[in-house]
Amino acid sequence: MPAFLLRRLLQSAVVLLAMSLLVFAGVHAIGNPVDVLISPDASQAERARVIASFGLDQPLWRQYLLFLKNAVQGDIGTSYIYATPALGLILERLPATLELALAAIFIAVAFGIPLGLWAGLRPDGVIGRTIMAASILGVSLPTFWVGLMLIMLFAVQLGWLPAGGRGPTTLLLGVPVSFLSIEGLRHLLLPAVNLALVNVALVIRLARAGTLDAMRQDYVKFARAKGLSAGRIVGVHVLKNILVPIVTVVALQFGAVIAFSIVTETVFAWPGMGKLIIDSIRVLDRPVIVAYMMLVAALFVAINLAADLVYSALDPRVRLTGEDT
Amino acid sequence: MAIATHQVPAMSPSRRFAREFFSKRIATGSFVLLLLILLAALFAPLLSPQDPYDLARLDLLDARLAPGTMSGDGSLVFLLGSDAQGRDMLSAMLYGIRISVIVGIASTAIALAVGLALGLLAGYRGGRIDAVLMRVVDIQLSFPSILIALVLLALSGPGLGKIIAALAAAQWAYYARTARSAALVERRKEYIEAATCLGLSGTRIMFRHLLPNCLPPLVVVAALQVAAAISLEATLSFLGLGLPVTEPSLGLLIANGFEYMLSGKYWISLFPGVALLLLVASITLVADRLRDVLNPRLQGPAP
Amino acid sequence: AELRIGLAADVSSLDPHYLNIAPNIALSTHLFDTLVAVSPDGQLVPGLAISWRAVDATTWELKLRPGVKFHDGSELTADDVLFSLDRPAALVGSPGPFTSYTRQIVAKDAPDRHTVRLKTAKAYGPLPLDLSSIFIVSKRAAQYASTADFNSGKVAIGSGPYRFARFLRGDRIELVRNEHYWGDKPAWDKVSLRILTSNAPRLAALLAGDVDAIEGVPAAHIERIKADPKFRLEQKVSWRTIFWHLDQSARPSPFVTDKAGKQLPENPLRDMRVRRAISMAIDRKALTSRTMEGLAVPASNLVAPGIFGHNPALPVEKYDPDGARKLLAEAGYPDGFALILHGTNDRYINDAAVVQTTAQYLNRVGIRAQVQTMPLSIYFGRARKGEFSAALLGWGSLAGDFALRTVVGTPNPQTGWGSWNWGKYSNGMVDALVRSALSSVAPAERENAARQAAALALGEYAIVPLHHQVATWAMRKGLQYTARTDEFTFAHLFHPQ
Amino acid sequence: MNGQQVPILAFDGVSKAYVRPVDAAARIAGMFSGAGSRPVVHALERVTLAVGEGEVVGLVGESGSGKSTLGRIATGLLKPTSGALLWRGQDVAAMDGKARRAKQLAAQLIFQDPYASLNPRMRVADIVGEAPVAHGLVPSREKNEYAAAMLQRVGLDAAMLQRYPHQFSGGQRARIGIARALAVRPQFLVCDEAVAALDVSIQAQVLNLFMQLRAELGLSYLFISHDLGVVRHVADRVAVLYLGRIVEVAPTEELFARANHPYTVTLLASMPTLEVTAKRHIPISGEVPSSLGPPSGCHFHPRCPHAMPRCRQEAPELREVAPGHWAACHLNDGGGGIQR
Amino acid sequence: MKSQADLPTLAVSGLTTEFPVAGGIVRPVDDVSFEVRRGQIMGLVGESGSGKSMTAWSIMGMVDAPGRISAGSIVFQGGDLRTLDERALRALRGDRIAMIFQDPATSLNPVLRIDTQMIEAITAHRPVGRRAAREMAREALARVGIASPEERLLAYPHQFSGGMRQRVAIAIAMLNRPDLIICDEPTTALDVTIQSQILGQMQALCREAGTALVWITHDLSVVAGFADTVAVMYAGRIVENGTVERVLRHPRHPYTHGLIASAPSRNPRGQPLPQIPGMVPALSALPDGCTFRNRCARATEVCRRVPPLEMLDGRQLRCFHPVMEEGA
Ligand SMILES: Nc1ncnc2c1ncn2[C@@H]1O[C@H](COP(=O)(O)OP(=O)(O)OP(=O)(O)O)[C@@H](O)[C@H]1O
Ligand SMILES: Nc1ncnc2c1ncn2[C@@H]1O[C@H](COP(=O)(O)OP(=O)(O)OP(=O)(O)O)[C@@H](O)[C@H]1O
Ligand SMILES: [Mg+2]
Ligand SMILES: [Mg+2]
């Protein structure tokens, strides 16, 4: 276990370092932010001054070393256009994105598992087939298109839900969240559903495959032979077994959800980090891009770790040694 | 003392496979649909009423005409309407499907080839190669594909080749990992030991014995990834980082047309959306069936 | 009553001197005033200065409006003005500094509390225009403050029609009415500016009643809004002109090839006949009515009609494909050539479509034009390096001479001339005329020179103007907006109908 | 074992330990937690055993006792951690490439699982014919004929050459596996539970095939099985393995008649037979200990009815208790043999 | 007049189970009849695919669709199980009738603790508190010879060795002191020494509690010293059924005879074993009449008819040409 944690920490450090280097070089290759930002009437001298003031006149490796030096001291840079520490900027948006992502995951699990169980228990029934067909639609539909359709239907045509933005927030343990108020929930619903859709489908498929598999297993037959009720067999024996892969995949999916929130946030004008990163790429706000990438990487590492811990809690056979299997 | 065999009907694996595959109606249906879509894409130049890439042929005066309207010069009827550029939607979609399919298949094929080679190597050889490769894969996988593609495309600018490369770069790691774990499983099987025992060379074992047996799960993953790649390309096009506007993919058509949805000109966005949906869904369904057929665990007892 | 407006671009900072981008300026205008204001029609009108005049060729004197109070109740004096004019140069770390508007001022003083004198090194006519870009902050509040202090709202203290209430970055900005505003009292006591950068959600928010008004109505929806009795539109020809930069440098141009794809040894775009042919090949009427869906008017100038320096004598190029073909043949390209047009896809109204439309028309006269569009972030950098043969650009300016200097003036890194002259057009006469306009402090004389320069440059197809954009606002019935040529959205210009 | 003749294959003090590779992170963590030792499985400990030319040596023992490990070492799939494998008296580790390859082909393994041991994606002709062609024993155009001949040798119809493994029954698959091994003209076969997965009525057929091949080709066998009945039937000598150590080796008749080691005794007592006489089923107590943490001294002492204090501390050596009959038990030191 | 005590615990008669397959239907269990009495052990022996497990599932009422029991009766303590609905069957399962499977590695749920899996088996059938149930579970573990059962209750299945897992499964089966236990090859995956232990324990427990036992195995020799009666199955049918003594000493069916004759221990060392030619046919390709006839040296024309199950020489036999010479 300690070896496991240590290995993970080392790995994360390597991931973060590699990430920062790649992003640094990448953004450098895209272009010079000053070209995008500087006022049209600026003279060459002003331009040069600005470039120098950001240290962009230095060779890339020196910029990178400087960045590393600062990063070690906890400073990942200051946004060019927001004039605010990039990390702070992102952390400011993190709760919105996390709320959205968690809501999406929650929806995915809350709907995906029961539906998947059903489809797995009655794979040849009409409902089971319908669920599977729907789940295929779910994975097939591009997120952005579904988002637009949702807005069309629920905000524009029916007028039931707001078209975008985040509702009023309240502080929960010092973090601003919006799901505690009706209005906030109304704002959250569409984007969360949009983001959840692919994952609902994924969870359904996992749960179905897991159920089909579990129902074939001897332990389910043995449980039946013990005279257990169908409810207990499905609710305890099957469920607990299918939770293992679902938790792992859902946790791994969390990173993808955060990434895809870029699309959803763009479509729904959700003030999270996804929108920030798209805007930042647009104006080459390198510190923000780097900070975002590193944060996502860090988040991802943390999530993976959490997934492994939960995994080992759910599946007693797993011993955390950090070894690949 | 030859023993007669009547236990299993003698049928070639491919026949058996085909029979198994087509035993489900939905799989057959989606396969036919997919085939039709692919044929339509293949013969797009013959089928489409207009060459949507020939800008000289497009007439602005024909912009945003409703389905069934005749073009201004009376030369063709816009069966599915026209877009903001006066482009025939049907033609644009046929060509768009072509691009989507090319992007999906090419990027997947490249990613598969690279991932497979590296994954097999890592799985079969193990040791240091394995450790290093898998760390690289870990790093790559700690980034969602959309982010990787996004960054790469932002770096490289638009273009068919570039988007294919970006998607391939975003996905090879999946294959490497899948191939590796398949190789790890297969490597422990006795037939590999038997081959080793027979003194066959490592390369031969890897390619003649390991590869064919690791392929089925990868083929399924790849088939699903083709759908994912198509969808991803559409998303990237939607975010403005895809293909040139004059050669629109389905995603770009949807993005271009979406704003008109609200003003009632549904056809510009809806039809490509439906085409994308059908394409992706049929690939997914076919892949799904492939998985079931190829996965012995989900098969019933042998007849 | 509260007014909720959907904005199309994100406000990055509340510091009015930090970053010179439109959304920030629009927001700053709510909180701060400038000495010289800009009327909805693009004319310079009194702001905090009730008058300005050139005392001599290099000295300007401005009289400040008396009795103006900052939001914190303190009075605005010449001291604050001097401080504010100094601040852009003193502010470090700004990627888009406002120093371009203050660098002409070499000395300044305040003879009394309500008078400011500014000296320039040379005669410089557009100084009042420059001053319209510099917001006046309270010296007392901002003297020791950083940009971060502005962003937190602590020192976002100006004299503008609204006071700061709340800034949720990336989401919304809330403002309350400045009850002591010196100008017309704004109609709304509370304003919430929502950031809705994607078109569809912004429009949807309006349709769903989440906001009362939006800016930047997407072209595709104009018709729909017009047809809906619950909403109305306000429109105005914008200052932004969309035009083509054609590479006129001596070297072979990178994206001009023969039809087989081989690079042409000569750059055909250097030939004025070719540039003219390109201009003639484009049907601007169809372009504006179809591609732009009415959100544009054909352009003949670099600046929009009504803007200082606009030359009304210049005609809009007539659509003449046959003439274009003939000109091409005359220039030695009877079979045309191949060309790649570059443009943005996230910057101007329907920008990618405009590039495509141009390509369509060029194809019809035998130039095999292809299209490449890309995001601004990549585009500008490459364009600046002169990587393109034909590049689309949009320019908004309140003075023709100014625009000419930057867009068609002979490039000179030292002076900043021609910094956006991607086509590398160069004509000494044009430069001279622009120079004389800029150094003239008599408006009429200056405008005359600017018009001459415009006629000369456009006559040589230094650029190929396409259209002026039309800015559009949509709002619920019962609201009206004083549409602005500079496309800015100001809450205080909304009124009940 | 014939003293004059060089055994075809001999294990000389062969040990095999499986060690989990440990990386830096685990080592560092181990340093902190103090649990730094690597988990080691001693699958084999100083095993010395020889198989004479034409001899069949049976190897029995409980699951996990190291039978397969020994078989894999014999066929070169595993390298011993220490000790030497002698092929016709020559140390395999010291052989040059050519000799080693010849040895590799000469010692073949027959697997337990007739399903997993055939590549499901190859036709029988390739499964059987690939290796001889690859090694140049047969020109490639004669591959099919050669494979057909091999199939006939194991009693399969040559017409099945183009089929895939899944088209065969278990017994047929086992024969294909044997044909594949025979195709490289081996002199020595290791049969690792080669009949365990087969139906009772098929098992007899395959056993007959093994014996027939032995007679026809003069093959030597290391015959691994947990089924004592089978081993008794085919083997000339039997070695009993317990937790990685050989506890007893003796000619078959001798072992079944006069088992010396208490473990062998219990093993024989547990063996189900067709004798209808009501048996008492209560021989050993306790489970097979794990080879991860084997008991000290004599590995069998926790389950041994005759265990003495000495057994806990000292591992007994193999010693000859009768001509050709070796056993490793402290009881033999008393000189009086074993009291039951 | 039979008294209650004389009633067999289980009397299966004419049991037939069908599965629809591509080309018609197959009968993995075809006209199977046998009886087990209180405290008696019956061995059910047959090669792979002969229908042993399917017989067990049929008795348990757990034949998965599309399979179904098409004929016969399963009389358990006087009542026909086939007339019961799923609820009633469930009440019997695990309570009066228990079952143990072949693979101890898979029959316990890997993600649930042993105590959970034991307690639920009790509470599903009787209204006892958790604590009492736990106490019962502990005792049951102790009874099958598991040391320190209190701690072991908190373990997960993977922490046990194969033999111990199988003993846990046995303990679970015995929790409610059932009247009948069906064991589907529970020792096949285990070492002989462990098998021997388990056989001993099962024998003792059944004698003690009067539990009837159906012991399924493919190995005749397991049955030899262990069971009271043995039924030999071939291709879905019972071909010979009688006391172990009679059947193993004097097999009358050519198949049983062949099996016993081919056992290595019955043959001189190193000599070729008498073998049954051919192999077990697939259910879908069974010959009509006697299913063994094309492997049988004694088969004649009459074997094209299905031989009836008749009493002969103190056992039930399904053969027109029984082997009558003494000894095997
Ligand atoms: N690759 C490996 N890594 C670690 N331990 C191993 C490995 N292979 C085998 N072992 C261990 O070595 C010991 C001997 O294993 P081996 O397979 O030789 O036993 P066996 O006698 O063949 O058992 P069985 O009868 O179950 O086949 C066992 O404890 C096993 O767990
Ligand atoms: N769902 C099914 N559909 C069709 N046939 C089936 C089905 N399930 C089992 N069978 C067939 O029923 C026959 C009997 O199977 P069963 O599992 O009872 O055999 P068994 O005697 O227990 O064999 P083993 O020793 O391998 O466990 C087999 O031939 C099998 O193929
Ligand atoms: Mg083994
Ligand atoms: Mg069975």
Side-chain angles (χ1 to χ4, degrees), chain D residues 170-213:
Chain D
Q172 289 172 322
R173 272 181 248 207
R175 287 165 196 267
I176 297 172
I178 297 168
R180 171 178 61 192
L182 292 182
V184 292
R185 299 173 191 158
Q187 297 147 24
F188 181 84
L189 287 186
V190 176
C191 303
D192 190 354
E193 309 274 15
V195 295
L198 300 177
D199 266 337
V200 188
S201 63
I202 307 299
Q203 190 172 312
Q205 297 172 2
V206 175
L207 283 177
N208 284 347
L209 176 61
F210 278 130
M211 289 183 291
Q212 174 198 337
L213 291 174

Side-chain angles (χ1 to χ4, degrees), chain E residues 157-176:
Chain E
H158 72 276
Q159 293 164 323
F160 289 84
S161 70
M164 278 164 72
R165 256 179 264 179
Q166 199 58 289
R167 264 179 270 181
V168 170
I170 293 170
I172 291 178
M174 297 216 170
L175 270 175
N176 295 315

Side-chain angles (χ1 to χ4, degrees), chain B residues 120-121 124-125 191-214, chain D residues 101 105 119 121-123 125-141 143 180 184:
Chain B
L120 275 187
L121 194 68
Y124 183 64
R125 291 256 184 263
Y191 70 85
I192 296 292
E193 286 198 326
T196 316
C197 209
L198 290 168
L200 300 178
S201 73
T203 342
R204 189 186 195 98
I205 294 177
M206 221 166 97
F207 288 103
R208 288 259 301 159
H209 296 251
L210 212 48
L211 177 68
N213 286 294
C214 295
Chain D
R101 211 189 65 180
L105 292 187
N119 187 336
R121 278 165 216 284
M122 281 170 87
R123 292 174 190 277
D126 293 321
I127 291 176
V128 177
E130 181 186 20
V133 171
H135 293 293
L137 301 178
V138 175
S140 72
R141 77 197 120 74
K143 182 173 87 174
R180 171 178 61 192
V184 292

